[in-house]
Amino acid sequence: MDILYKVFVEPFLFMGEAPDLLIQTLWEGLVSGVLYALIALGFVLIFKASGVFNFAQGIMVVFAALILVGLYEKGVPAFLALILAAVAMLVLAIVVERVVLRPLVNQPDIILFMATFGLTYFLIGFGELIFGGNPREMITDALLLPQGTTELDAFGGSIRLQHLDIAAAIIASIMIGILAVFFSKTRIGRALRAVADSHKAALSVGISLNQIWVIVWFAAGLVALVAGIMWGARSGVSFSLQIIALKALPVLILGGFTSIPGAIIGGLIIGVGEKLGEFYWGPLVGGGIETWLAYVIALLFLLYRPQGLFGEKIIERI
């Protein structure tokens, strides 16, 4: 009975006794959730266009951030380095379309998935060759990202808001909103949905798969760049950052691989769930819940709702 009390009663009593800590935990979870959603959006865009989970999205986050920091360390002004990093992601999108996607068109999905594995390890090796393997610091001051902390007296205590977290949440939310509107309201967005439904049908009405793939991979590259800046400012820029990026996989399982709203909702659920689990239930298991809770939630969804909250339920006739 004691363990049941500690699991199902004590944490909720603690939430009521210290609402300021609850609000603090929820805020930190929301910030992480928005950043998870931003990374997941890159996966969703590519999956909608090709039907393939892009395993390389995580290393693209690292690679984009390393390009930005590397150019700045070579004396390039910060905002020019930002533009050049975006151009580098466009070049990467064109190269991927020409070298990887175009030769594999109409191949089984598993072939394309394995190709993204190869792309991942190529970018890791290429990145280490150019930038080395040492961690770097994100150029937050040069990019004019705010620093410092604001403390609010509320709910009988104090709530601390990191200015960088506020900026990260705002920038990520704006980018998610822009991409969501762009891919749902524009002609390119309609073409993307047509490609997602059927490559052959899209080709039959004059939609260029090559152009759509370049646009989508470039958009995913821009998402990777912004995510790399925000996560790099919080955790530093290193190749281990791709592990954080792969946290988007549970987000996609929750929200659905083809749903932009699902990526947003899934990211918030994972972000808030991790922080609440770590703070209130973590001491019961010695901590570390934040590293595995997302995958447990994803496993439960795979068992009972494999298409996710907003994904399409696909029925295949065999």
Side-chain angles (χ1 to χ4, degrees):
M1 292 298 294
D2 184 54
I3 187 64
L4 293 177
Y5 175 81
K6 289 183 178 181
V7 172
F8 295 107
V9 178
E10 189 175 63
F12 297 100
L13 293 176
F14 187 29
M15 292 178 191
E17 293 171 356
D20 58 318
L21 293 178
L22 175 60
I23 298 299
Q24 181 76 55
T25 305
L26 289 174
W27 163 249
E28 293 175 358
L30 286 172
V31 173
S32 295
V34 170
L35 294 178
Y36 286 152
L38 180 62
I39 298 174
L41 187 58
F43 287 96
V44 168
L45 293 176
I46 292 177
F47 190 87
K48 283 174 72 68
S50 61
V52 174
F53 177 78
N54 176 27
F55 191 80
Q57 187 69 26
I59 191 60
M60 285 171 62
V61 171
V62 179
F63 194 69
L66 285 174
I67 291 174
L68 173 62
V69 175
L71 288 172
Y72 181 77
E73 291 177 349
K74 295 296 184 182
V76 179
F79 287 97
L80 178 57
L82 181 63
I83 294 173
L84 292 177
V87 172
M89 301 315 290
L90 174 59
V91 172
L92 177 63
I94 295 172
V95 171
V96 167
E97 190 277 324
R98 294 285 178 89
V99 177
V100 179
L101 297 178
R102 187 178 296 184
L104 297 178
V105 66
N106 291 328
Q107 294 295 317
D109 291 344
I110 187 62
I111 301 296
L112 285 167
F113 177 60
M114 294 307 298
T116 67
F117 262 96
L119 178 62
T120 297
Y121 288 102
F122 170 77
L123 290 178
I124 291 174
F126 189 59
E128 289 180 344
L129 177 65
I130 297 176
F131 304 107
N134 296 325
R136 311 287 185 91
E137 288 189 8
M138 180 50 64
I139 52 174
T140 51
D141 292 334
L143 292 174
L144 303 181
L145 293 175
Q147 303 293 317
T149 303
T150 295
E151 293 196 12
L152 302 176
D153 294 327
F155 300 99
S158 179
I159 301 172
R160 302 183 62 183
L161 303 177
Q162 298 285 341
H163 296 169
L164 181 62
D165 287 348
I166 297 174
I170 293 174
I171 293 172
S173 299
I174 290 174
M175 187 163 191
I176 290 171
I178 291 173
L179 288 174
V181 171
F182 180 77
F183 284 104
S184 62
K185 302 297 183 181
T186 65
R187 188 174 66 88
I188 293 176
R190 291 191 292 271
L192 172 61
R193 292 197 297 274
V195 170
D197 290 337
S198 172
H199 288 182
K200 293 181 179 179
L203 285 170
S204 69
V205 296
I207 295 174
S208 172
L209 289 182
N210 300 333
Q211 291 181 1
I212 291 296
W213 282 340
V214 169
I215 291 170
V216 167
W217 275 80
F218 177 50
L222 292 180
V223 168
L225 176 58
V226 174
I229 293 172
M230 297 308 166
W231 278 111
R234 290 159 60 95
S235 309
V237 181
S238 67
F239 286 93
S240 62
L241 197 62
Q242 64 177 315
I243 299 175
I244 297 176
L246 287 179
K247 193 66 72 70
L249 179 57
V251 173
L252 293 170
I253 293 173
L254 261 69
F257 278 81
T258 60
S259 173
I260 292 177
I264 300 170
I265 300 300
L268 295 177
I269 291 174
I270 293 296
V272 172
E274 281 183 347
K275 296 299 181 181
L276 289 176
E278 182 66 34
F279 189 78
Y280 291 102
W281 285 272
L284 295 176
V285 294
I289 285 181
E290 198 169 356
T291 61
W292 53 261
L293 181 61
Y295 299 98
V296 172
I297 297 174
L299 178 60
L300 294 175
F301 266 76
L302 285 175
L303 292 174
Y304 299 104
R305 191 176 175 83
Q307 74 271 24
L309 293 173
F310 298 91
E312 298 176 357
K313 190 171 184 178
I314 300 175
I315 300 176
E316 294 185 358
R317 182 173 297 174
I318 58 175

